[in-house]
Amino acid sequence: MITINEHYLKLQASYLFSNIAKRVNTFQEQNPDKEIIRLGIGDVTRALPAACTEAFHKAIDEMATDASFRGYGPEQGYDFLRNAIAENDFQSRGADISADEIFVSDGAKCDTGNIQELFTTDIKVAIPDPVYPVYLDTNVMAGRTGTYEDGRYRGVIYLDSTKENNYVPSLPKEVPDLIYLCFPNNPTGSTITKAELKTWVDYARENKALILFDAAYEAFIRDESLPKSIYEIEGAKEVAIEFRSFSKNAGFTGTRCAYTVVPKECAGFDSNGNKQLIHPLWNRRHCTKFNGVSYPVQRAAEAVYSEAGKNQTRALVAGYLKNADLIATEIKKLGFDFVGGDNSPYIWIQGNRDSWEFFDMLLNKAGVVCTPGAGFGKCGEGYIRLSAFNSYENVEKAMKRIKEAL
Ligand SMILES: *Cc1c(COP(=O)(O)O)cnc(C)c1O
């Protein structure tokens, strides 16, 4: 008899996006002439930088002749890309990360999910609330949680991100073994200072814990005092793994390329309490279960680090940041409490009403789609998320309509 992994049965069906779609469709049927503006999406909307598509085309042409054709590449990624990443994203910022500590992959989503198979089921996991749902659901699948009760899974240490802590979680009362942090944050758009991040690094060192640091939105950081990488913090290399992606900085959500940094010093412990390095374990896992990102995609990603690519990605992100700034400015004028909107494409707004009520009001009165905060966790109740991933014209129009509606 083939028995199934019953932990999957604990998962809550994600009604968030289907529920949004249903309400938007109903509104559109009743108001066929009304143009809807979507500020709910967590996906980029602008084309790949020209430097990337040029490199992409060129690499595809290389695949078309026997002389330059490439078959299986190194599972960890080609050296040309790993070197460019190490130099530009880390060494240039004073973070001592070398190319062989970088594992190129097809997504930060899969990497954040896959990494936890290196750890035992009985570890205690700390997960932010509100949260990018992947961290939570993958731990449910792995059997690291109990059942779902009153909006939360039993056995998880939730790290509340609220107005009281300025949306940067405080150290938990119960000591975790694995800690998820994401800054700039999705969904709140909040950022973490070096001093705050150091508190977490020190805490992980003291407690023999490991931090999984999701830096998917680092390109949106314009405040030079904020850390773009956790390895800018002293002592982080022993206790942190970092996830990065080309999805949000260079528009690779449909092209697929990301990477994970596992420093050589980073360690866990075996059942005898002996230190075990994580790098060889992740290398083994990666080589056994993954066969590399396609060559043309890695060439396209490499182009992000060319002179033209740097300028183009910076301009791309600047466009979204301009939208975010407009949203934040208008929301402030309307008197709402909010976080994000600078150093981030997201604006997290306290609505002083139920999340879905706020959603319905914006949809019905302004024809604007947002994401109800309650969909990201218990602490998201009462909030909505607006996203800057749209055209400036649409954002202008949406903010004007929201002003009129309120
Ligand atoms: C978009 C996003 C990612 C990137 O995921 P990919 O699989 O690389 O596209 C990672 N983490 C968070 C929090 C995100 O919002």
Short mmCIF file of all heavy atoms in Angstrom, two decimals, residues 33-71:
data_model
loop_
_atom_site.label_atom_id
_atom_site.label_comp_id
_atom_site.label_asym_id
_atom_site.label_seq_id
_atom_site.Cartn_x
_atom_site.Cartn_y
_atom_site.Cartn_z
N ASP A 33 -17.39 48.56 -17.79
CA ASP A 33 -16.67 49.70 -18.37
C ASP A 33 -15.51 50.17 -17.50
O ASP A 33 -14.67 50.96 -17.94
CB ASP A 33 -17.62 50.89 -18.59
CG ASP A 33 -18.79 50.49 -19.47
OD1 ASP A 33 -18.61 49.58 -20.31
OD2 ASP A 33 -19.88 51.05 -19.28
N LYS A 34 -15.50 49.72 -16.25
CA LYS A 34 -14.50 50.23 -15.31
C LYS A 34 -13.16 49.53 -15.52
O LYS A 34 -13.08 48.30 -15.55
CB LYS A 34 -14.99 49.99 -13.87
CG LYS A 34 -14.12 50.62 -12.82
CD LYS A 34 -14.65 51.97 -12.38
CE LYS A 34 -13.68 52.61 -11.40
NZ LYS A 34 -13.95 54.02 -11.18
N GLU A 35 -12.12 50.32 -15.70
CA GLU A 35 -10.78 49.75 -15.87
C GLU A 35 -10.18 49.49 -14.49
O GLU A 35 -10.12 50.38 -13.65
CB GLU A 35 -9.92 50.75 -16.66
CG GLU A 35 -8.47 50.36 -16.79
CD GLU A 35 -7.53 51.57 -16.80
OE1 GLU A 35 -7.96 52.67 -16.40
OE2 GLU A 35 -6.37 51.40 -17.18
N ILE A 36 -9.74 48.25 -14.28
CA ILE A 36 -9.19 47.87 -12.97
C ILE A 36 -7.67 48.04 -12.98
O ILE A 36 -7.00 47.69 -13.95
CB ILE A 36 -9.57 46.40 -12.67
CG1 ILE A 36 -11.08 46.31 -12.40
CG2 ILE A 36 -8.79 45.86 -11.48
CD1 ILE A 36 -11.59 44.90 -12.30
N ILE A 37 -7.13 48.60 -11.91
CA ILE A 37 -5.67 48.75 -11.80
C ILE A 37 -5.17 47.81 -10.71
O ILE A 37 -5.66 47.83 -9.58
CB ILE A 37 -5.28 50.20 -11.46
CG1 ILE A 37 -5.84 51.16 -12.52
CG2 ILE A 37 -3.75 50.34 -11.38
CD1 ILE A 37 -5.62 52.62 -12.22
N ARG A 38 -4.22 46.99 -11.08
CA ARG A 38 -3.73 45.96 -10.15
C ARG A 38 -2.47 46.40 -9.42
O ARG A 38 -1.41 46.51 -10.03
CB ARG A 38 -3.47 44.66 -10.91
CG ARG A 38 -4.75 44.00 -11.36
CD ARG A 38 -4.52 42.87 -12.35
NE ARG A 38 -5.73 42.66 -13.14
CZ ARG A 38 -6.73 41.87 -12.76
NH1 ARG A 38 -6.66 41.19 -11.63
NH2 ARG A 38 -7.81 41.75 -13.52
N LEU A 39 -2.62 46.65 -8.14
CA LEU A 39 -1.46 46.95 -7.30
C LEU A 39 -1.31 45.86 -6.24
O LEU A 39 -0.80 46.09 -5.14
CB LEU A 39 -1.59 48.33 -6.65
CG LEU A 39 -1.64 49.55 -7.59
CD1 LEU A 39 -1.68 50.84 -6.81
CD2 LEU A 39 -0.45 49.55 -8.55
N GLY A 40 -1.77 44.67 -6.61
CA GLY A 40 -1.72 43.56 -5.66
C GLY A 40 -0.60 42.59 -5.98
O GLY A 40 -0.18 41.79 -5.15
N ILE A 41 -0.09 42.68 -7.20
CA ILE A 41 0.83 41.66 -7.67
C ILE A 41 2.23 41.72 -7.06
O ILE A 41 2.78 42.79 -6.84
CB ILE A 41 1.01 41.69 -9.21
CG1 ILE A 41 0.78 43.11 -9.73
CG2 ILE A 41 0.10 40.68 -9.85
CD1 ILE A 41 0.90 43.24 -11.22
N GLY A 42 2.79 40.54 -6.84
CA GLY A 42 4.16 40.43 -6.36
C GLY A 42 5.07 40.00 -7.50
O GLY A 42 6.11 39.39 -7.28
N ASP A 43 4.65 40.31 -8.73
CA ASP A 43 5.46 39.94 -9.90
C ASP A 43 5.84 41.22 -10.63
O ASP A 43 5.07 42.18 -10.66
CB ASP A 43 4.63 39.04 -10.82
CG ASP A 43 5.46 38.39 -11.92
OD1 ASP A 43 6.69 38.62 -11.96
OD2 ASP A 43 4.87 37.68 -12.75
N VAL A 44 7.03 41.21 -11.22
CA VAL A 44 7.50 42.38 -11.95
C VAL A 44 6.69 42.53 -13.25
O VAL A 44 6.08 41.58 -13.71
CB VAL A 44 9.01 42.29 -12.25
CG1 VAL A 44 9.81 42.31 -10.96
CG2 VAL A 44 9.31 41.03 -13.06
N THR A 45 6.71 43.74 -13.81
CA THR A 45 5.90 43.99 -15.00
C THR A 45 6.71 44.49 -16.18
O THR A 45 6.20 44.55 -17.29
CB THR A 45 4.81 45.04 -14.68
OG1 THR A 45 5.43 46.18 -14.07
CG2 THR A 45 3.77 44.47 -13.73
N ARG A 46 7.98 44.87 -15.94
CA ARG A 46 8.76 45.46 -17.04
C ARG A 46 9.73 44.46 -17.67
O ARG A 46 10.20 43.53 -17.01
CB ARG A 46 9.53 46.67 -16.53
CG ARG A 46 8.55 47.79 -16.28
CD ARG A 46 9.21 49.09 -15.96
NE ARG A 46 8.19 49.90 -15.30
CZ ARG A 46 8.44 50.89 -14.47
NH1 ARG A 46 9.69 51.21 -14.20
NH2 ARG A 46 7.45 51.55 -13.92
N ALA A 47 10.04 44.70 -18.94
CA ALA A 47 10.86 43.79 -19.76
C ALA A 47 12.26 43.60 -19.18
O ALA A 47 12.75 44.42 -18.41
CB ALA A 47 10.96 44.32 -21.17
N LEU A 48 12.89 42.50 -19.57
CA LEU A 48 14.29 42.24 -19.19
C LEU A 48 15.17 43.38 -19.70
O LEU A 48 14.91 43.94 -20.77
CB LEU A 48 14.77 40.93 -19.85
CG LEU A 48 14.15 39.63 -19.38
CD1 LEU A 48 14.69 38.48 -20.23
CD2 LEU A 48 14.45 39.36 -17.91
N PRO A 49 16.25 43.72 -19.00
CA PRO A 49 17.19 44.73 -19.49
C PRO A 49 17.78 44.27 -20.84
O PRO A 49 18.00 43.08 -21.05
CB PRO A 49 18.28 44.75 -18.40
CG PRO A 49 17.62 44.19 -17.19
CD PRO A 49 16.61 43.20 -17.68
N ALA A 50 18.04 45.24 -21.70
CA ALA A 50 18.56 44.92 -23.05
C ALA A 50 19.87 44.15 -22.97
O ALA A 50 20.11 43.23 -23.76
CB ALA A 50 18.75 46.21 -23.85
N ALA A 51 20.72 44.48 -22.00
CA ALA A 51 22.00 43.77 -21.86
C ALA A 51 21.75 42.28 -21.64
O ALA A 51 22.49 41.42 -22.15
CB ALA A 51 22.80 44.35 -20.69
N CYS A 52 20.71 41.95 -20.91
CA CYS A 52 20.39 40.54 -20.62
C CYS A 52 19.84 39.83 -21.86
O CYS A 52 20.26 38.71 -22.16
CB CYS A 52 19.37 40.44 -19.48
SG CYS A 52 19.98 41.10 -17.93
N THR A 53 18.94 40.47 -22.57
CA THR A 53 18.38 39.79 -23.75
C THR A 53 19.44 39.64 -24.84
O THR A 53 19.47 38.63 -25.54
CB THR A 53 17.13 40.52 -24.30
OG1 THR A 53 17.42 41.90 -24.48
CG2 THR A 53 15.95 40.37 -23.37
N GLU A 54 20.35 40.62 -24.96
CA GLU A 54 21.44 40.48 -25.94
C GLU A 54 22.33 39.27 -25.60
O GLU A 54 22.65 38.45 -26.47
CB GLU A 54 22.32 41.74 -25.94
CG GLU A 54 21.76 42.86 -26.82
CD GLU A 54 22.36 44.23 -26.47
OE1 GLU A 54 23.53 44.28 -26.02
OE2 GLU A 54 21.63 45.23 -26.62
N ALA A 55 22.70 39.15 -24.35
CA ALA A 55 23.54 38.02 -23.92
C ALA A 55 22.79 36.70 -24.08
O ALA A 55 23.37 35.67 -24.45
CB ALA A 55 23.97 38.22 -22.47
N PHE A 56 21.50 36.74 -23.81
CA PHE A 56 20.61 35.58 -23.93
C PHE A 56 20.61 35.09 -25.39
O PHE A 56 20.86 33.91 -25.68
CB PHE A 56 19.21 36.05 -23.53
CG PHE A 56 18.32 35.04 -22.87
CD1 PHE A 56 17.11 35.45 -22.29
CD2 PHE A 56 18.63 33.69 -22.81
CE1 PHE A 56 16.26 34.55 -21.67
CE2 PHE A 56 17.78 32.78 -22.20
CZ PHE A 56 16.58 33.22 -21.64
N HIS A 57 20.35 36.03 -26.34
CA HIS A 57 20.34 35.70 -27.77
C HIS A 57 21.67 35.10 -28.23
O HIS A 57 21.71 34.10 -28.93
CB HIS A 57 20.08 36.97 -28.60
CG HIS A 57 18.64 37.34 -28.70
ND1 HIS A 57 17.71 36.57 -29.36
CD2 HIS A 57 17.95 38.40 -28.21
CE1 HIS A 57 16.52 37.14 -29.28
NE2 HIS A 57 16.63 38.25 -28.58
N LYS A 58 22.73 35.75 -27.79
CA LYS A 58 24.06 35.33 -28.20
C LYS A 58 24.34 33.90 -27.72
O LYS A 58 24.87 33.06 -28.46
CB LYS A 58 25.10 36.30 -27.62
CG LYS A 58 26.47 36.18 -28.22
CD LYS A 58 27.35 37.39 -27.86
CE LYS A 58 28.80 36.99 -27.91
NZ LYS A 58 29.44 36.92 -26.58
N ALA A 59 23.94 33.61 -26.51
CA ALA A 59 24.17 32.27 -25.95
C ALA A 59 23.33 31.23 -26.66
O ALA A 59 23.76 30.09 -26.86
CB ALA A 59 23.86 32.29 -24.45
N ILE A 60 22.14 31.61 -27.07
CA ILE A 60 21.30 30.66 -27.81
C ILE A 60 21.95 30.34 -29.16
O ILE A 60 21.97 29.19 -29.59
CB ILE A 60 19.86 31.22 -27.99
CG1 ILE A 60 19.15 31.18 -26.63
CG2 ILE A 60 19.08 30.40 -29.02
CD1 ILE A 60 17.85 31.91 -26.57
N ASP A 61 22.53 31.36 -29.80
CA ASP A 61 23.25 31.12 -31.06
C ASP A 61 24.43 30.18 -30.86
O ASP A 61 24.72 29.34 -31.71
CB ASP A 61 23.72 32.45 -31.67
CG ASP A 61 22.56 33.25 -32.25
OD1 ASP A 61 21.51 32.63 -32.52
OD2 ASP A 61 22.69 34.48 -32.42
N GLU A 62 25.10 30.30 -29.71
CA GLU A 62 26.21 29.38 -29.41
C GLU A 62 25.71 27.94 -29.35
O GLU A 62 26.43 27.01 -29.72
CB GLU A 62 26.86 29.73 -28.06
CG GLU A 62 27.80 30.91 -28.09
CD GLU A 62 28.35 31.19 -26.70
OE1 GLU A 62 28.97 30.28 -26.11
OE2 GLU A 62 28.13 32.31 -26.20
N MET A 63 24.51 27.76 -28.86
CA MET A 63 23.94 26.42 -28.74
C MET A 63 23.60 25.82 -30.11
O MET A 63 23.34 24.63 -30.23
CB MET A 63 22.67 26.44 -27.87
CG MET A 63 22.88 26.92 -26.46
SD MET A 63 24.05 25.92 -25.54
CE MET A 63 22.95 24.91 -24.57
N ALA A 64 23.59 26.67 -31.15
CA ALA A 64 23.14 26.24 -32.48
C ALA A 64 24.25 25.64 -33.35
O ALA A 64 23.97 25.17 -34.44
CB ALA A 64 22.48 27.43 -33.20
N THR A 65 25.49 25.69 -32.88
CA THR A 65 26.55 25.04 -33.67
C THR A 65 27.29 24.04 -32.77
O THR A 65 27.47 24.29 -31.57
CB THR A 65 27.58 26.06 -34.22
OG1 THR A 65 28.26 26.66 -33.12
CG2 THR A 65 26.90 27.15 -35.05
N ASP A 66 27.74 22.93 -33.38
CA ASP A 66 28.40 21.88 -32.61
C ASP A 66 29.63 22.41 -31.87
O ASP A 66 29.92 22.01 -30.74
CB ASP A 66 28.85 20.73 -33.53
CG ASP A 66 27.65 19.96 -34.08
OD1 ASP A 66 26.54 20.17 -33.55
OD2 ASP A 66 27.83 19.19 -35.03
N ALA A 67 30.36 23.32 -32.53
CA ALA A 67 31.62 23.81 -31.96
C ALA A 67 31.41 24.56 -30.65
O ALA A 67 32.25 24.46 -29.75
CB ALA A 67 32.31 24.72 -32.97
N SER A 68 30.32 25.29 -30.53
CA SER A 68 30.13 26.09 -29.31
C SER A 68 28.99 25.58 -28.43
O SER A 68 28.68 26.16 -27.40
CB SER A 68 29.90 27.55 -29.68
OG SER A 68 28.85 27.66 -30.61
N PHE A 69 28.37 24.48 -28.86
CA PHE A 69 27.27 23.90 -28.09
C PHE A 69 27.72 23.49 -26.68
O PHE A 69 28.86 23.08 -26.49
CB PHE A 69 26.76 22.66 -28.85
CG PHE A 69 25.87 21.77 -28.03
CD1 PHE A 69 24.52 22.07 -27.87
CD2 PHE A 69 26.38 20.63 -27.40
CE1 PHE A 69 23.70 21.25 -27.11
CE2 PHE A 69 25.57 19.81 -26.62
CZ PHE A 69 24.22 20.13 -26.49
N ARG A 70 26.84 23.61 -25.71
CA ARG A 70 27.14 23.15 -24.35
C ARG A 70 26.04 22.22 -23.85
O ARG A 70 24.86 22.52 -23.97
CB ARG A 70 27.22 24.32 -23.38
CG ARG A 70 28.22 25.36 -23.80
CD ARG A 70 28.81 26.05 -22.62
NE ARG A 70 29.62 27.18 -23.05
CZ ARG A 70 30.50 27.77 -22.27
NH1 ARG A 70 30.69 27.33 -21.03
NH2 ARG A 70 31.18 28.79 -22.70
N GLY A 71 26.45 21.13 -23.28
CA GLY A 71 25.51 20.18 -22.68
C GLY A 71 25.38 20.47 -21.20
O GLY A 71 25.29 21.63 -20.80
#
